[in-house]
């Protein structure tokens, strides 16, 4: 059984350490190891975690997604060698980009044999996110990769403001489960067992029946595009389509996933990707009465929705 890894992300002051403390205080029968990343050389978050039982490793003076990424690998290897834990939580800095962290678990075969990325959880400062999101690209990237979003400090918002912020979060993180919290208080059991990076658990919401292409655009850069078809998808054409997207958009293709009905294939093909890294495989057979629909979602910067639609339609049989 692989050890699940939960990544806590969110902009500065959102409440990540508060959430971490709640998770450790209610471990749900798990034995945790914790990696805390702080940008400053003198870190204090690890001292704020009121726990004496967990193995806590502090990585300071840099960010996991760049300057101390090698330290993350070394810490993971040291933890695995020591053992004595069955779940891992990584708390990132408020400036961290989750993509390289996710790719760490996708790229390293040795880690893949023992660890599995369970979910990226993003804590959002409800009071400030509307001012932050279009000024700080880190907020966009954190939400784009989130599998679970906590709208924190919701008690400080007027009900009208809560609705507006929730609408913004649904747009920026269309596939994530979203919970309103005050001081990150919630049933932490909801955060575990997401298996968001397990192909057998990949799910894509059904796009509108009246509009097979949905574009939720929030500025001139960030958008999410959903595609759906009842036609079968030709495997070679689809793989070329994904490779072309990876080359065209590079790091701007933040996250994408889909469930496809391939030609001459009785099983569902499930795939997901993080920027230039993608993984896919066939899963369970389509049911006898189950419509063979293909559904995809892409989240990225400067996505050309019309071109995406045309290129995908060229993959259809």
């Amino acid at each position: 059984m692989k050890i699940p890894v939960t990544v806590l992300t969110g902009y500065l002051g959102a409440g990540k350490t508060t959430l971490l403390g709640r998770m450790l205080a209610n471990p749900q029968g798990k034995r945790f190891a914790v990696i805390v990343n702080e940008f400053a050389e003198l870190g204090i978050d690890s001292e704020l975690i009121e726990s004496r039982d967990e193995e806590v490793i502090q990585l300071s003076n840099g960010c996991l997604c760049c300057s101390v990424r090698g330290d993350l690998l070394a810490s993971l290897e040291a933890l695995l060698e020591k053992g004595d834990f069955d779940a891992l939580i990584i708390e990132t800095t408020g400036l961290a980009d989750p993509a390289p962290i996710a790719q760490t678990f996708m790229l390293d075969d040795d880690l893949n044999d023992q660890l599995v990325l369970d979910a990226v959880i993003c804590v959002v400062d409800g009071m400030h996110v509307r001012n932050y999101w279009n000024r700080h690209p880190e907020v966009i990237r954190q939400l784009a990769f989130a599998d679970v979003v906590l709208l924190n400090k919701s008690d400080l918002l007027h009900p009208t403001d809560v609705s507006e912020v929730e609408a913004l979060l649904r747009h920026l993180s269309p596939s994530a489960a979203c919970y309103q919290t005050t001081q990150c208080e919630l049933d932490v059991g909801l955060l575990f067992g997401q298996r968001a990076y397990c192909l057998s658990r990949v799910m894509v919401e059904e796009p509108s029946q009246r509009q097979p292409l949905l574009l939720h655009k929030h500025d001139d850069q960030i958008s999410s595009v959903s595609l759906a078809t009842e036609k079968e998808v030709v495997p070679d054409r689809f793989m070329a389509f994904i490779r072309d997207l990876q080359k065209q958009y590079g790091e701007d293709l933040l996250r994408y996933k889909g469930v496809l009905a391939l030609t001459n294939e009785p099983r569902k093909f499930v795939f997901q990707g993080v920027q230039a890294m993608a993984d896919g495989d066939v899963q369970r057979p389509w049911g006898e009465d189950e419509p063979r629909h293909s559904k995809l979602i892409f989240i990225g910067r400067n996505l050309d929705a019309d071109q995406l639609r045309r290129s995908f339609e060229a993959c259809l049989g």
Side-chain angles (χ1 to χ4, degrees):
M1 181 72 70
K2 294 184 179 181
I3 297 172
V5 180
T6 300
V7 175
L8 302 185
T9 187
Y11 198 63
L12 301 167
K16 295 184 298 298
T17 302
T18 299
L19 177 60
L20 175 58
R22 293 193 181 278
M23 295 170 76
L24 298 181
N26 187 7
Q28 306 279 306
K30 304 178 187 299
R31 295 171 299 156
F32 285 114
V34 180
I35 295 177
V36 178
N37 180 212
E38 297 191 75
F39 196 79
E41 183 175 0
L42 180 61
I44 62 171
D45 275 4
S46 60
E47 298 180 19
L48 299 178
I49 301 169
E50 296 180 1
S51 174
R52 299 179 181 178
D53 298 327
E54 289 77 23
E55 176 79 17
V56 178
I57 294 179
Q58 179 176 301
L59 301 180
S60 301
N61 201 25
C63 193
L64 286 180
C65 62
C66 45
S67 59
V68 297
R69 192 177 179 192
D71 293 342
L72 171 61
L73 286 170
S75 297
L76 292 171
E77 292 171 358
L79 284 172
L80 289 171
E81 183 176 350
K82 185 175 181 179
D84 198 32
F85 71 101
D86 51 30
L88 172 64
I89 301 175
I90 300 175
E91 181 193 354
T92 69
T93 74
L95 303 176
D97 176 359
I101 301 171
Q103 289 174 339
T104 297
F105 294 94
M106 298 176 71
L107 280 170
D108 194 297
D109 291 335
D110 292 334
L111 290 180
N112 269 327
D113 290 339
Q114 301 177 75
L115 300 172
V116 59
L117 184 56
D118 185 64
V120 175
I121 298 173
C122 183
V123 184
V124 173
D125 181 342
M127 285 291 294
H128 299 103
V129 65
R130 284 174 294 181
N131 293 325
Y132 284 166
W133 78 273
N134 58 0
R135 293 164 46 200
H136 302 285
E138 301 89 352
V139 175
I140 296 292
R141 301 178 80 85
Q142 291 164 359
L143 283 165
F145 283 96
D147 305 295
V148 178
V149 174
L150 267 61
L151 172 51
N152 197 32
K153 307 181 185 179
S154 59
D155 58 314
L156 303 179
L157 296 173
H158 187 275
T160 301
D161 294 329
V162 171
S163 298
E164 291 181 2
V165 173
E166 283 190 327
L168 174 63
L169 299 182
R170 284 196 298 271
H171 289 323
L172 297 177
S173 191
S175 299
C178 185
Y179 302 100
Q180 293 183 29
T181 62
T182 298
Q183 296 183 350
C184 291
E185 185 173 359
L186 83 164
D187 177 4
V188 296
L190 297 170
L191 307 179
F192 301 120
Q194 295 289 322
R195 299 179 63 195
Y197 285 78
C198 175
L199 288 175
S200 64
R201 289 288 296 273
V202 169
M203 297 182 65
V204 182
E205 291 185 2
E206 187 73 40
S208 168
Q209 297 298 319
R210 292 178 297 174
Q211 188 179 7
L213 171 68
L214 297 180
L215 173 62
H216 300 303
K217 197 159 188 175
H218 316 291
D219 63 5
D220 292 335
Q221 295 184 326
I222 299 297
S223 60
S224 63
V225 178
S226 298
L227 303 171
T229 182
E230 297 181 3
K231 297 182 179 180
E232 293 189 337
V233 180
V234 180
D236 292 345
R237 297 178 191 173
F238 179 75
M239 296 305 175
F241 165 64
I242 294 296
R243 288 195 297 269
D244 288 344
L245 288 181
Q246 291 171 335
K247 292 178 182 177
Q248 178 180 355
Y249 290 105
E251 292 186 356
D252 287 340
L253 185 61
L254 299 177
R255 193 168 178 187
Y256 47 102
K257 60 182 178 178
V259 179
L260 303 181
L262 301 179
T263 55
N264 302 316
E265 175 53 67
R267 295 165 294 179
K268 293 184 177 184
F269 180 79
V270 180
F271 79 97
Q272 63 176 333
V274 173
Q275 295 178 340
M277 294 295 303
D279 188 19
D281 200 0
V282 290
Q283 299 294 321
R284 68 169 179 83
W286 291 90
E288 291 185 6
D289 299 325
E290 186 178 11
R292 287 171 58 90
H293 291 173
S294 296
K295 297 177 289 185
L296 309 87
I297 185 168
F298 300 88
I299 304 173
R301 181 176 285 105
N302 296 317
L303 298 181
D304 186 328
D306 291 334
Q307 180 192 30
L308 271 171
R309 174 177 50 80
R310 291 192 300 269
S311 298
F312 178 62
E313 288 177 348
C315 302
L316 306 181

